[in-house]
């Protein structure tokens, strides 16, 4: 390199290769932190490269941490836990992935929270709440529609049962009135039968008395003729 000592040029070249190897993932340790050059401009270049490498390495470490958090969140989802995430990426690709994943987990958590709260309300015999499907499609839309259909079906069933109960109460009231009328008529007829029986007994007694009188008179007449 023109104007630079060969030793400085060689060392700078080695540093550049080292930086590229670390950036590309071929190496994980920088060996030239304390490298010195006789030329101040070359020293500045080497120092700047090292600072940039430190920034890149730190960002990569943070991105690796972000990816670890993302994988952990996915494992939790596999076990049925759906909580919002706040993963922060530093590299452009990881940042896009992290932001999208954070938005996804937030929406998913809100949807499941609403579904659980609605089902708890249903458990209290209040079937008025429904869930807004919004722009959801696929399985989530089917799940929301299924919960809403459940509320509608139960409401229809309860309305039918209520109407049947009202009809049954009306029929029971009518039957009670009919039974009361029948009981009253039966009591009246029983009283009439008692009166008739008493009258028949009285008539029978009168007939027996009259027959006895007729027999007595016939006996007296026969004695007189004799």
């Amino acid at each position: 390199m023109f104007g630079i000592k060969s030793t400085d040029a060689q060392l700078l070249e080695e540093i550049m290769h080292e930086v590229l190897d670390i950036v590309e993932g071929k190496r994980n340790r920088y060996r030239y932190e304390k490298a010195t050059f006789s030329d101040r401009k070359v020293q500045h270049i080497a120092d700047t490269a090292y600072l940039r490498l430190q920034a890149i390495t730190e960002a990569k470490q943070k991105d690796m941490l972000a990816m670890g958090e993302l994988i952990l969140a996915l494992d939790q989802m596999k076990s049925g836990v759906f909580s919002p995430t706040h993963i922060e990426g530093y590299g452009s690709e990881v940042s896009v992935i992290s932001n999208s994943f954070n938005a996804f987990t937030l929406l998913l958590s809100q949807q499941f929270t609403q579904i659980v709260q609605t089902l708890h309300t249903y458990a209290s015999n209040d079937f008025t709440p429904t869930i807004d499907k919004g722009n959801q499609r696929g399985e989530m839309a089917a799940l929301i529609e299924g919960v809403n259909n459940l509320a509608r079906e139960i409401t229809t069933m309860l309305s039918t049962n209520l109407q049947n109960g009202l009809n049954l109460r009306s029929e029971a009231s009518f039957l009670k009135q009919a039974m009361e009328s029948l009981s009253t008529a039966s009591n009246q007829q029983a009283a009439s039968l008692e009166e008739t029986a008493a009258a028949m007994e009285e008539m029978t007694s009168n007939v027996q008395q009259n027959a006895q009188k007729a027999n007595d008179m016939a006996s007296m007449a026969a004695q007189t003729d004799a």
Side-chain angles (χ1 to χ4, degrees):
M1 184 179 296
F2 182 77
I4 301 177
K5 290 182 178 181
S6 60
T7 54
D8 286 351
Q10 183 179 355
L11 181 57
L12 182 60
E13 184 178 357
E14 292 176 1
I15 289 175
M16 292 298 104
H17 283 299
E18 183 96 342
V19 170
L20 292 175
D21 285 346
I22 293 175
V23 171
E24 293 174 358
K26 297 178 181 180
R27 301 184 64 89
N28 55 14
R29 188 174 68 87
Y30 184 69
R31 298 172 295 173
Y32 300 97
E33 296 93 338
K34 299 180 180 181
T36 58
F37 297 85
S38 57
D39 191 303
R40 293 197 331 191
K41 292 182 179 179
V42 177
Q43 184 70 53
H44 177 71
I45 294 172
D47 292 341
T48 302
Y50 177 57
L51 292 175
R52 290 291 297 157
L53 178 62
Q54 284 184 314
I56 293 172
T57 302
E58 183 180 356
K60 287 181 64 176
Q61 290 174 346
K62 291 180 178 179
D63 283 344
M64 289 178 63
L65 178 61
M67 294 302 294
E69 292 177 354
L70 190 148
I71 293 173
L72 179 60
L74 290 174
D75 288 339
Q76 290 180 337
M77 288 183 180
K78 291 179 183 178
S79 63
V81 179
F82 299 92
S83 301
T85 59
H86 304 282
I87 301 172
E88 185 177 357
Y90 288 83
S92 58
E93 296 85 356
V94 178
S95 293
V96 171
I97 294 174
S98 299
N99 293 336
S100 298
F101 190 76
N102 291 336
F104 166 71
T105 56
L106 176 61
L107 177 61
L108 198 61
S109 177
Q110 290 174 341
Q111 291 287 0
F112 276 113
T113 298
Q114 189 176 11
I115 291 171
V116 171
Q117 290 176 346
T118 301
L119 292 176
H120 282 167
T121 304
Y122 292 171
S124 302
N125 295 324
D126 181 5
F127 301 96
T128 55
T130 56
I131 304 174
D132 183 12
K133 186 168 60 176
N135 296 324
Q136 294 296 315
R137 296 179 295 177
E139 286 75 7
M140 180 59 73
L143 176 60
I144 293 174
E145 190 61 30
V147 174
N148 291 337
N149 285 337
L150 174 65
R152 285 192 288 267
E153 291 295 329
I154 293 179
T155 300
T156 300
M157 180 184 68
L158 292 177
S159 299
T160 301
N161 290 341
L162 175 61
Q163 187 60 48
N164 291 339
L166 293 175
N167 293 338
L168 183 61
R169 186 174 69 177
S170 177
E171 293 174 359
S173 177
F174 176 77
L175 180 61
K176 179 182 177 182
Q177 292 177 357
M179 291 297 293
E180 290 175 351
S181 299
L182 179 61
S183 176
T184 300
S186 297
N187 291 335
Q188 291 176 349
Q189 188 168 6
S192 177
L193 289 174
E194 289 178 357
E195 292 176 357
T196 301
M200 291 294 293
E201 289 179 358
E202 185 178 357
M203 290 176 60
T204 301
S205 176
N206 292 334
V207 170
Q208 289 177 348
Q209 290 177 0
N210 291 335
Q212 185 62 42
K213 288 180 180 180
N215 289 334
D216 293 343
M217 291 178 64
S219 295
M220 293 177 61
Q223 290 176 0
T224 302
D225 291 339

